[in-house]
Amino acid sequence: MVERIGVLGAGYVGLTSAACFAAMGHQVSAVDIDAAKIARLDAGEVDLAEPGLAGLVAEGTRAGTLAFGTGLDALAGRELVFLCLPTPPGEDGAPDLGPFRDALRRLGRILSPGTVLVTKSTVPVGTAGRLPGFLGRADLPVVSNPEFLREGHAVHDFRHPDRVVVGADPPDSPAACRVAQLYAPTGADVVRTSSASAELAKYASNGFLAVKASYANAVAELCEQYAADIREVSAVMGLDPRIGPHFLAPGPGWGGSCLPKDTSALLQAADAAGVEFSLLRDAVRANARQRARMVRAIRSAATGSPDGSLDGVRIGVLGLAFKAGTADLRESPAVAVAAELARRGAEVTAYDPAVRSDADGYLVVDDPYLVAKDAAALAVLTEWPEFRDLDWRRLAAAADRPVVVDTRNVLDPFAVAEAGFARVGVGTPMEVPDACSRPRLHPQALAGPLQQRSDRPAAARPVRRAGGDRRTGPGRRP
Ligand code: UGA
C-alpha cells in the first residue's frame, strides 16, 4: 500500500529515511528549515557522504515520489509524519527538546486528524507521552520508531536493518501496525514494544556500544603491559556469539554525534531516576582518559619521553574524522587529540581524505605526504583504509624521525617497518625495523611510548621498560 509520508528534518536520518521510503514506492515529502540545504537538494546536490544516498534522491526526485520543502505546510495531509529533528545535549547533559517542541507546536496546527506521528529522533524516555502536550492536541496517534543507522552506512542500514523497533501504547495499536508494515520490504524482524521501551532501547544500545568500546580500550592497555596483542585477544573474544566481534577495536576513544550525546543523556536520565549507573559513567571517564593516553603516546614517540616538551615539535596527523567513511568532525577523538597536541605547543599538520577545513591551532593540508615533512612523529587517528596504501618510504624520507603512532591499528605493520618506520600501536607490540627487513616485535620496546602506569599489580610479570637508550629507543632513526 502506497503511503503519503512526511519527514521533518533532512539530516542524515531524515534524508535517508525519506529517500529509502520513496524508493519503496511511497509518496514522500521532506521538510527542513535550512533553506539553503533544501535548495541544494532541489538542485540534486546531496552534501552528506552517505553511499547510495545521492542516487536514491535523484531517482526519487525524477520519479516524482520524493519532494523537498521548507514550509511545514508541505506536511499537511500526510498520513504518516516522521520526526527526524536533532536533539542536541543541553547544559545538564539531557537532550534539548526546544527545537523539537517548537516544531510540534506548529505541526499541531496543520496536521489532519488521524495523521500518525512517528518519532525517529532520539528522545528522552517518556517523550511519547508528552507529545500531545507539545502538539496542543490529543487526537493524533503517536509511534516511537528509533533509528539505528550508522553514519556512513545509513542507506545500507535502513535497507538491511538488523532490527526495527516500533513502540506504541498499546504496542499493537493500528498506528503501530501501519508503521511496522512500512518495513516489510526490508525483511527485518519488527520488535513491537511500548513507547518507553522503544525510547530506552535506543539509548541503551548506544550506551552499551560505548561501554564495549571503552572495555576494548582498557583490555588494549592491559595488552601493552603484558605483551599480549589486542588484535588476537579481541579475535578470540569476538568468536563467542554472546560477545560478538564488533566494537572491540581499540582507538583514540569513541566519538561522533551520537555516542557521547546519548551516553550523557542516559546518565542524566539515570541520575534523575535515582539509578546508579556507575558502569556507564566509568566508560565515559575511561573515554576521556583514552584520549589523554593517546596524547601521551604521541608525545613520547615524538620527544622520547611522555613528559617531553612539545614546544615547536612537528607532528603529522593522519585522520581527523571521528571514524572512517565520514567527514564528520563532531566530538571526534582525532580532533581532540590533534588540538591537545597543538595546545601543548606542537606544530601539528593534519590530513584527512574527507576533511579540508582548517582548524583551531593546527593546519589541515590536502596532501598526506605534506604532514610528514620534518615531523618528529606521525599519528594515525582515524582508521581510513587508504592510509595503509600510502608510500611509507616517501613518508619516512620526509620525516625527521620515522615513528608512527597507529592509534587505530590500521597500518600494515610489515609495510611500515620495511619502510623504516617504528610503529607504536594500541594494545599491540611495538614494531621496530631491523636489518632483515622483516619487522621484529620488540617486547621490550612495548613499554616505551605507551607505558605510563607505575601502579602495575606486583604479583604479575609485566614487560619491563626498555630503559633510556635514546639512540635506539622508540622514535629514533634506526
Ligand atoms: C552510532 C550507532 O552505532 C548507531 O547504531 C546509531 O544509530 C547512531 O550512533 C545514532 O545514534 O544515530 P555512529 O555515530 O555513526 O553510529 O558511529 P559508530 O560507527 O557507532 O562509531 C561510534 C564511535 O565508536 C566512533 O568514534 C568509532 O571510531 C568508535 N569505535 C567503534 C571504536 O572506538 N571501536 C570500535 O570497535 C568501534
Side-chain angles (χ1 to χ4, degrees):
M1 169 176 156
V2 175
E3 297 276 19
R4 288 167 47 78
I5 293 175
V7 174
L8 181 53
Y12 89 95
V13 171
L15 189 58
T16 303
S17 306
C20 290
F21 282 138
M24 290 172 179
H26 301 292
Q27 283 292 334
V28 184
S29 182
V31 166
D32 199 291
I33 47 166
D34 183 342
K37 181 194 282 182
I38 292 299
R40 286 195 297 277
L41 285 169
D42 275 336
E45 290 168 31
V46 174
D47 45 17
L48 294 167
E50 289 298 338
L53 186 56
L56 286 183
V57 168
E59 219 173 87
T61 314
R62 208 173 29 243
T65 50
L66 180 60
F68 300 104
T70 49
L72 288 182
D73 292 348
L75 301 177
R78 297 280 141 179
E79 289 146 348
L80 297 139
V81 172
F82 284 79
L83 304 170
C84 303
L85 298 167
T87 51
E91 272 173 20
D92 59 353
D96 174 9
L97 286 185
F100 188 81
R101 213 171 20 218
D102 289 348
L104 280 167
R105 190 178 311 123
R106 284 181 291 132
L107 261 188
R109 293 191 212 114
I110 57 170
L111 294 183
S112 329
T115 301
V116 179
L117 263 189
V118 193
T119 306
K120 262 204 182 296
S121 304
T122 303
V123 291
V125 185
T127 299
R130 298 172 66 198
L131 287 195
F134 294 166
L135 288 161
R137 57 195 278 191
D139 61 328
L140 302 184
V142 169
V143 175
S144 300
N145 175 218
E147 56 83 18
F148 297 95
L149 310 178
R150 294 164 301 163
E151 252 185 87
H153 302 268
V155 171
H156 173 273
D157 289 353
F158 191 98
R159 297 184 131 181
H160 308 281
D162 37 33
R163 80 284 211 200
V164 170
V165 179
V166 174
D169 303 308
D172 58 354
S173 70
C177 296
R178 199 160 168 191
V179 173
Q181 195 53 39
L182 283 177
Y183 293 94
T186 70
D189 284 339
V190 177
V191 186
R192 307 282 289 273
T193 66
S194 68
S195 300
S197 296
E199 290 164 341
L200 185 54
K202 170 60 194 268
Y203 283 116
S205 296
N206 276 0
F208 188 80
L209 291 176
V211 170
K212 198 174 179 189
S214 279
Y215 187 89
N217 283 333
V219 175
E221 193 172 354
L222 278 174
C223 287
E224 288 156 20
Q225 298 295 325
Y226 293 99
D229 187 324
I230 186 69
R231 293 165 295 191
E232 296 171 349
V233 174
S234 29
V236 172
M237 289 169 64
L239 286 173
D240 183 333
R242 293 168 303 174
I243 297 175
H246 306 293
F247 256 76
L248 288 176
W254 39 267
S257 64
C258 304
L259 263 52
K261 157 178 91 69
D262 292 350
T263 46
S264 105
L266 193 51
L267 282 173
Q268 209 279 338
D271 284 347
V275 173
E276 180 48 60
F277 206 159
S278 50
L279 182 65
L280 184 62
R281 204 175 306 280
D282 282 348
V284 173
R285 288 197 187 119
N287 199 40
R289 280 200 305 276
Q290 185 68 4
R291 292 178 184 193
R293 206 167 82 80
M294 293 305 102
V295 170
R296 283 200 305 274
I298 296 163
R299 191 174 178 184
S300 190
T303 68
S305 153
D307 307 315
S309 166
L310 283 173
D311 252 342
V313 173
R314 291 182 70 97
I315 293 177
V317 160
L318 291 167
L320 288 170
F322 83 95
K323 65 174 185 178
T326 169
D328 201 339
L329 298 179
R330 284 175 292 175
E331 294 287 331
S332 169
V335 167
V337 169
E340 180 61 13
L341 292 167
R343 202 186 63 76
R344 289 174 178 273
E347 284 179 27
V348 178
T349 307
Y351 166 78
D352 186 293
V355 179
R356 288 293 172 268
S357 53
D358 252 341
D360 253 2
Y362 56 90
L363 187 68
V364 180
V365 293
D366 59 5
D367 176 351
Y369 297 99
L370 287 179
V371 305
K373 195 173 173 311
D374 302 329
L378 297 187
V380 175
L381 298 179
T382 308
E383 75 281 23
W384 287 102
E386 48 262 64
F387 291 157
R388 288 171 72 92
D389 303 327
L390 291 174
D391 181 344
W392 283 89
R393 282 184 198 283
R394 192 174 155 197
L395 290 167
D400 191 29
R401 290 147 48 98
V403 56
V404 57
V405 181
D406 180 8
T407 71
R408 299 281 194 165
N409 295 336
V410 68
L411 301 179
D412 174 353
F414 296 113
V416 292
E418 275 177 3
F421 266 94
R423 174 188 167 278
V424 182
V426 176
T428 67
M430 180 171 179
E431 285 116 11
V432 180
D434 68 14
C436 307
S437 83
R438 293 303 285 170
R440 192 154 40 97
L441 301 185
H442 269 235
Q444 285 187 321
L446 235 186
L450 286 177
Q451 177 167 316
Q452 305 302 326
R453 295 187 44 179
S454 55
D455 55 344
R456 297 188 307 267
R461 287 177 288 108
V463 178
R464 299 211 81 70
R465 206 183 161 90
D469 184 350
R470 293 176 62 93
R471 284 163 303 150
T472 55
R476 296 277 132 192
R477 272 188 189 280

